[in-house]
Amino acid sequence: MVGASAAGLAAAETLRRAGYDGTVTLVGDEPHAPYDRPPLSKQILGGQWDAGRLPLRGRDELDALGLDLRLGVAATGLDPAGRTVALADGAEVPYDGLVVATGVRPRRLPGDGGAHVLRTLDDALGLRDRLTAGTRLVVVGAGFLGAEAAAVARGLGAEVTLLEPAPVPLAPAVGEEVGRVLSRAHLDHGVDLRTGVTVTEATGGGVRLTDGGRVAADEVLVAVGSVPNTEWLEGSGLTVGNGLECDEFSAAAPGVYGAGDVACWHNPLFGTVMRIEHRTNATEQGMAAARNLLAPEPEARRPYQPVPYFWSDQYGMRIQAYGHLRGHDEVAVVEGSLEEGAEGAFLAAYRRGDRLTGVLAVGMSPRVLRDWRRSIAAGARWADAVRRAPTPA
Ligand SMILES: Cc1cc2nc3c(=O)[nH]c(=O)nc-3n(C[C@H](O)[C@H](O)[C@H](O)COP(=O)(O)OP(=O)(O)OC[C@H]3O[C@@H](n4cnc5c(N)ncnc54)[C@H](O)[C@@H]3O)c2cc1C
């Protein structure tokens, strides 16, 4: 396993649970044992949790897995023919099966290096130390990460400016109407949200815009997307495009599987290629990759066809989504309302072609969401699914 985080750990645990008692090597370039990232932009940044709550497993649980755990060392090369992984410390690790789970890193903007990004524990602690009441924080990018950081910073009393190039934040992902509702939350909480604004340079002291203007700041957080960590695979012959390209079994080559944020694979349930940067998928795909790795013959492998899930917490509001929302043809609000002044709870359904492909909800019970998830997994037709909804829009 290369990448010692959610996906790599899930793969290692699945091998052991399935009774595999050979050597399992888990290589990670961070010095920390596997830890959870979602709290970084929530409880860690907000100061409610300390770093001690982040490890995905306790020391005893990790020890019980009997891993050859190599932390603080990067994989630098892969030879699929010779079945070895080269490490930065000069070691060559042989393998029978490999799971590539190296995740993504933040995309950066030109600048003097003084701007923050938010991916690792060290990033989160570094930013947390700088946020106090009155800090002028500029957040570049109003995606889920930027939005969560803006919300937490407001909670700490920082003055937050949120800059976003698109007219409506998150519109390609969730649709314009829903994107507008999520933006409203920023305005309601005193964030200076500026849309249609593109940043060309981010420094410790502020940002420069395409029109030549500047926004001054005490701290800048750049949250403008991510880049898959695939450079170490160069020259391996594996196909790298938008991440490591895998088939419907999550396989990239014989004996090599991809899992988590770094992997782009064909999901047969939706008939499309996807790369998912969400926590639940990392675990599920790590497990699926390990199971397929252990299959006695290729025919025994199972396609990896999940209904993706994610959540995001902003201003005390929990956003949850199932399915594949991107590239939708239509969004319909089937429960609650998006109107200003409404209770705030709603469920939006997403159509692609004649199928229900996703739902996004705020303030809905887990039972309601589970029912919709089941319909998506069953490949429900849009007309049937939306007709059945209790209060169609
Ligand atoms: C701040 C933050 C908040 C988030 N909030 C949510 C949320 O609310 N909901 C949600 O669904 N998802 C959320 N996510 C996304 C979720 O955390 C990721 O989807 C998940 O961590 C992916 O796990 P992974 O194992 O695939 O990759 P990663 O967690 O990125 O782990 C990959 C590991 O591999 C290491 N690595 C990279 N290259 C090499 C190499 N060459 N050799 C060795 N090791 C290497 C990396 O340093 C890293 O430790 C959030 C992410 C962040 C950063």
Side-chain angles (χ1 to χ4, degrees), residues 139-148 150 162-166 168-171 179 182-183 186 193-195 223-224 314:
V139 180
V140 186
F144 285 108
L145 183 63
E148 286 189 354
L162 182 53
L163 305 176
E164 166 63 39
V168 180
L170 288 167
L182 302 182
S183 316
H186 295 302
L193 171 65
R194 305 190 200 168
T195 55
V224 294
Q314 300 168 25

Side-chain angles (χ1 to χ4, degrees), residues 78-85 92-98 253-256 293:
L78 168 66
D79 173 7
R83 297 210 168 194
T84 55
V85 171
E92 291 274 333
V93 184
Y95 68 82
D96 297 312
L98 170 69
V256 181
L293 203 52

Side-chain angles (χ1 to χ4, degrees), residues 2-7 27-30 37-38 40-42 73-75 101-104 118-119 145 148 229 232 260-261 277-279 282 310-311:
V2 181
S5 184
V27 179
D29 63 0
E30 290 186 73
R37 287 184 212 280
L40 297 179
S41 53
K42 306 172 183 73
V73 59
T102 42
V104 298
L118 184 45
R119 182 74 197 173
L145 183 63
E148 286 189 354
N229 291 318
W232 68 282
D261 287 12
E277 292 187 22
H278 296 312
R279 178 64 184 80
F310 79 84
W311 81 96

Side-chain angles (χ1 to χ4, degrees), residues 5 43 63 85 95 110 113-114 128 182 188 209 211 216 249 273 277 288 317 320 359 369 387 390:
S5 184
Q43 296 88 345
D63 288 348
V85 171
Y95 68 82
R128 181 176 84 181
L182 302 182
D188 290 348
L209 311 177
D211 65 6
F249 300 102
V273 166
E277 292 187 22
M317 157 173 86
Q320 291 178 282
V359 291
L369 275 159
R387 195 177 321 121

